[in-house]
Amino acid sequence: MSDLYLSHIRNWILKSPPAEWLLTSARELLIGTLKQGPIPLHVAFEMDGNRRFAKNHKIETIEGHHLGFEALARVLEICYKCGVKVVTVYAFSIENFNRPKHEVKGLMAMAKVKLEQLVQHGELLDRYGAGIRVLGERDLIPVDVLPYVDRAIEMTKHNKDAVLNICFPYTSRAEMTSAIKATVDEYTTAPRLPNTPFSQSRITQKIRSNKSKNPDSPPRDSSPDQNNKSDVDDSMSSTTALDPDSPPLQSTPVKIAKFQNPEAITAEVINSHTYTAECPPLDMFIRTSGVTRLSDFMLWQCHENTQIFFLKCLWPEFDLWHFVPILLEWQWRQKKLVEKESTRR
């Protein structure tokens, strides 16, 4: 008897009404207890192990990814119910384009289906007021997938209580490169000066305009003539004459464009150009499948207070009972951190 068959039997038993009621009650009680302590505001998940799960259970790779999406739905409800405000998931790496074409094509087809499901059955996101944001290199998203991405963002843009960041397609190096380019542009672009009625550009523009309207007109006499019309800017009346006794016009002082000082560039400036600039700092990073590396995900966001957890379970297996021990350990570490800071004071 295969593991997958046993898994189906277990799921059938757990979905029976009595078992479902008991599990729901226990889950609500447990989450309510956890909410009494500190809750991370921003949690990132590196959803690893879908292909290995499919191989272990002798099913198609795409089916493993489908089960991974179901695990994501469970995790989102757990996080939002606990009080997490931002969930960031690594859905597709730029490096994944190097996988076999049939697998990439299948993943893109699945992305369209799952994004459409989020739109059509968005009760979970609407219940917790979660809006979808897709982070990554938009130019690399296939043309046939883009409408589904835009629709998912548009349909949840009214939700402001929580955020679901879907990194697709994404790598941290690409994000940091984009942030640095934006910072360089900000500090090397001169501020645009406003045009005044007597600025050099306005005068030159007016002269060229008058010449184009009257190409055959003779040169103007240098002596003043009462019948001649003044070549004053359109912003002033052409029939207005200056009083001889009036004081001379004061020319507008030339403003020299000043570039920002590059010495003022800080980590905060670069952070303001990252994909997660509007999100709270990353509190918790979780990766499944037993792999102990970040794999080019959230490298910039992982700071000294980010708690990183590597789990041996595969992503389709991840549920509340895997998340609870992690959250308890995070709360314990937060308590120790607060005690350490209080002793310093």
Side-chain angles (χ1 to χ4, degrees):
M1 190 176 293
S2 68
D3 292 340
L4 185 60
Y5 184 71
L6 291 173
S7 177
H8 284 318
I9 293 177
R10 185 173 63 252
N11 290 337
W12 178 79
I13 294 174
L14 293 176
K15 287 182 180 178
S16 63
E20 208 168 46
W21 180 83
L22 286 173
L23 287 174
T24 301
S25 301
R27 185 181 294 111
E28 294 295 329
L29 179 62
L30 184 57
I31 291 176
T33 304
L34 291 172
K35 289 174 69 174
Q36 302 306 309
I39 296 295
L41 295 179
H42 188 177
V43 179
F45 291 96
E46 190 155 356
M47 307 178 294
D48 193 16
N50 292 338
R51 291 192 298 172
R52 203 180 314 167
F53 182 88
K55 184 179 179 180
N56 293 344
H57 292 83
K58 298 179 176 58
I59 58 177
E60 293 293 331
T61 301
I62 292 300
E63 183 62 24
H65 290 299
H66 279 290
L67 294 174
F69 180 82
E70 293 179 6
L72 173 61
R74 294 195 302 268
V75 169
L76 288 178
E77 182 159 21
I78 294 168
C79 288
Y80 293 142
K81 189 171 287 188
C82 286
V84 176
K85 293 301 181 183
V86 180
V87 176
T88 301
V89 297
Y90 202 2
F92 192 87
S93 169
I94 294 175
E95 304 299 328
N96 287 348
F97 284 112
N98 297 325
R99 291 185 178 183
K101 290 185 178 179
H102 70 276
E103 185 177 348
V104 175
K105 186 176 180 181
L107 288 172
M108 291 301 164
M110 188 184 72
K112 291 192 289 186
V113 172
K114 298 309 178 184
L115 287 169
E116 188 67 19
Q117 287 179 356
L118 285 174
V119 172
Q120 294 178 353
H121 309 286
E123 299 89 357
L124 173 63
L125 297 177
D126 289 339
R127 190 187 316 149
Y128 297 102
I132 294 176
R133 296 177 65 232
V134 178
L135 314 181
E137 300 296 304
R138 182 182 173 88
D139 295 341
L140 298 179
I141 300 177
V143 177
D144 59 322
V145 180
L146 275 175
Y148 295 87
V149 172
D150 294 336
R151 192 178 303 120
I153 296 172
E154 180 67 23
M155 292 294 290
T156 60
K157 69 178 184 180
H158 61 281
N159 294 334
K160 303 296 183 182
D161 296 333
V163 175
L164 170 59
N165 290 325
I166 303 175
C167 296
F168 170 82
Y170 169 95
T171 62
S172 284
R173 287 174 295 173
E175 179 185 17
M176 288 188 283
T177 301
S178 173
I180 291 172
K181 284 182 177 178
T183 304
V184 170
D185 289 341
E186 178 185 349
Y187 277 76
T188 57
T189 303
R192 191 172 181 179
L193 300 177
N195 282 335
T196 63
F198 300 103
S199 65
Q200 182 65 37
S201 60
R202 291 293 298 273
I203 295 173
T204 304
Q205 182 181 2
K206 187 63 182 176
I207 293 174
R208 289 177 179 173
S209 175
N210 288 339
K211 284 184 178 180
S212 62
K213 291 178 182 178
N214 303 305
D216 300 328
S217 60
R220 176 182 293 183
D221 195 337
S222 59
S223 62
D225 188 351
Q226 294 181 353
N227 296 326
N228 288 342
K229 290 185 178 180
S230 173
D231 277 341
V232 185
D233 196 304
D234 291 336
S235 62
M236 303 176 65
S237 173
S238 60
T239 59
T240 302
L242 292 176
D243 188 347
D245 297 330
S246 64
L249 289 173
Q250 298 293 326
S251 60
T252 304
V254 178
K255 294 183 178 180
I256 301 176
K258 292 184 179 180
F259 294 94
Q260 298 189 61
N261 183 3
E263 295 294 332
I265 297 177
T266 62
E268 288 72 22
V269 173
I270 298 177
N271 187 72
S272 67
H273 293 290
T274 61
Y275 299 149
T276 58
E278 299 177 358
C279 300
L282 183 62
D283 295 309
M284 187 186 297
F285 181 106
I286 299 173
R287 178 170 186 166
T288 54
S289 81
V291 178
T292 55
R293 61 176 184 269
L294 302 186
S295 296
D296 214 354
F297 178 50
M298 305 293 281
L299 299 182
W300 176 268
Q301 289 79 3
C302 286
H303 54 87
E304 61 180 349
N305 292 327
T306 302
Q307 305 293 336
I308 301 177
F309 299 91
F310 298 109
L311 306 182
K312 291 184 179 180
C313 71
L314 303 178
W315 176 250
E317 301 168 338
F318 190 86
D319 58 12
L320 175 64
W321 311 112
H322 293 92
F323 186 64
V324 167
I326 296 173
L327 185 54
L328 287 173
E329 184 173 349
W330 182 86
Q331 291 179 336
W332 180 81
R333 291 181 183 181
Q334 288 298 113
K335 180 181 178 181
K336 292 296 182 182
L337 183 62
V338 171
E339 291 177 353
K340 186 177 180 180
E341 290 179 350
S342 62
T343 55
R344 288 180 179 177
R345 295 175 184 175

